[in-house]
Amino acid sequence: KFGKTDNAMASNPFGAAEDADEYWALEESAERLKESFEALGPQGGFLSPQTAKQVLVKTGLQKEQLRQIWALSDIDRDGYFDHHEYVVAMFLCDAVMQKGRPIPAELPMSVIPPSKRSLLKERGGGFF
């Protein structure tokens, strides 16, 4: 009726749904924080544990909070922050400092960079 189509994607004027496997809620934050990450002098694309610690300490959060944020943000558990892990850490710090939110026990899938999700699946945790 009225040129009706069977293609559900074409029929939604707001477009198709985001691909859940590739959606990252922090994509815009990553773009915004790229400059500050680069200003910290990453070596080979990674911030050293000392540099990352200095940044986190400047937030004024308590040591136990920072320990939890580090554990969640260092997704590949190599002791270094790449740009995406840095973004996750800054997001968590902001959520605690600015919004008064508790630190989650696990990261929601939408906060985990798509490139790191397979690591959590292999470990059997993270967002199920």
Side-chain angles (χ1 to χ4, degrees):
K1 118 184 185 188
F2 303 109
K4 187 175 173 182
T5 177
D6 288 335
N7 185 348
M9 290 205 215
S11 66
N12 188 330
F14 299 100
E18 295 271 353
D19 182 353
D21 290 339
E22 293 302 314
Y23 174 73
W24 187 33
L26 303 182
E27 191 70 48
E28 287 182 20
S29 297
E31 291 173 25
R32 192 177 67 251
L33 290 170
K34 184 72 171 171
E35 215 173 289
S36 67
F37 177 79
E38 293 298 332
L40 294 168
Q43 299 293 311
F46 297 92
L47 295 180
S48 70
Q50 296 80 11
T51 301
K53 179 181 178 182
Q54 290 171 357
V55 171
L56 293 175
V57 166
K58 286 181 184 177
T59 66
L61 293 174
Q62 297 173 9
K63 186 176 183 179
E64 184 53 37
Q65 292 173 305
L66 295 176
R67 181 180 327 213
Q68 292 171 5
I69 288 170
W70 183 281
L72 289 168
S73 303
D74 185 19
I75 297 168
D76 56 16
R77 295 182 178 167
D78 65 354
Y80 292 78
F81 278 176
D82 64 19
H83 176 237
H84 287 165
E85 291 169 325
Y86 170 77
V87 170
V88 171
M90 294 297 98
F91 167 77
L92 292 171
C93 288
D94 182 62
V96 173
M97 295 183 324
Q98 303 296 324
K99 299 179 178 97
R101 294 186 181 149
I103 299 167
E106 294 182 338
L107 291 175
M109 183 173 72
S110 63
V111 172
I112 301 166
S115 63
K116 307 276 185 185
R117 291 178 185 164
S118 64
L119 294 172
L120 292 176
K121 285 180 185 176
E122 289 169 13
R123 289 199 303 252
F127 54 84
F128 295 105

